[in-house]
Amino acid sequence: MKTLRKIVLILSLFAAPALADPDPAFEPVVALFSAISKFDHSAMKGVVTEKFGLLENGEVWGIDELIAAVPPAEYKRENYYSLISTDVREEIAVINYWNKAVFSSQQGTQDVVWLESVVVVRENGEWLLQQMHSTHVDPKKIPVSIVYAEMR
């Protein structure tokens, strides 16, 4: 057991710097999920392009479908990320990451994890989400080596 703890500690030391200062192109992702956590539909619309598309577990959604899936509710959501890769070009970026939400309510706490990718474009000097692909991950299939960082 001590060996496993040492391995996890060593892995977290290598992963932490990459999580501490993500590329600015990742900011609209963090802003979107922060807005989702606050049920702030206006802020959700503010971080996506007019052509935003979300591929959500085999369905194609726009921002209006995403907003409809996030009605105000009596739970708290905290967002955590683990970046896999970031490829930033002049006006476009492709980012792959793990997304974990921790939902807390009077009934208890539940972790939900997705494997996601985004295409982010720069419009008028601002990074906005153009496309997102999101796949819910079965808890049994989540790699134990993932190191998450909370971002707001």
Side-chain angles (χ1 to χ4, degrees):
M1 192 59 132
K2 288 183 181 181
T3 303
L4 179 60
R5 286 184 187 159
K6 287 179 184 177
I7 291 171
V8 170
L9 177 62
I10 290 169
L11 288 174
S12 68
L13 290 174
F14 287 110
L19 296 170
D21 195 19
D23 193 280
F26 194 65
E27 289 175 6
V29 174
V30 175
L32 177 68
F33 288 106
S34 292
I36 288 172
S37 294
K38 297 173 187 169
F39 310 107
D40 186 342
H41 298 153
S42 177
M44 290 170 66
K45 285 184 176 183
V47 296
V48 301
T49 68
E50 289 184 21
K51 297 179 182 179
F52 173 75
L54 167 60
L55 306 175
E56 177 72 22
N57 283 329
E59 296 181 14
V60 180
W61 294 3
I63 190 63
D64 292 330
E65 289 82 7
L66 179 57
I67 286 170
V70 185
E74 294 295 323
Y75 62 80
K76 178 181 175 186
R77 175 185 173 138
E78 298 171 278
N79 302 298
Y80 300 85
Y81 308 92
S82 180
L83 295 173
I84 298 168
S85 64
T86 304
D87 184 8
V88 179
R89 307 289 170 100
E90 299 281 322
E91 303 296 321
I92 191 167
V94 177
I95 305 168
N96 302 298
Y97 59 96
W98 291 95
N99 178 359
K100 179 173 86 169
V102 178
F103 295 94
S104 304
S105 69
Q106 291 179 345
Q107 288 75 33
T109 302
Q110 179 183 10
D111 293 0
V112 181
V113 174
W114 298 266
L115 182 58
E116 298 183 333
S117 62
V118 291
V119 175
V120 184
V121 297
R122 194 183 334 242
E123 290 186 357
N124 301 317
E126 180 181 17
W127 288 107
L128 298 172
L129 288 163
Q130 174 82 28
Q131 180 177 321
M132 177 180 279
H133 186 251
S134 179
T135 302
H136 179 260
V137 180
D138 182 313
K140 297 174 194 163
K141 295 184 178 181
I142 300 167
V144 295
S145 61
I146 298 173
V147 177
Y148 295 98
E150 183 177 19
M151 295 182 205
R152 299 179 191 184

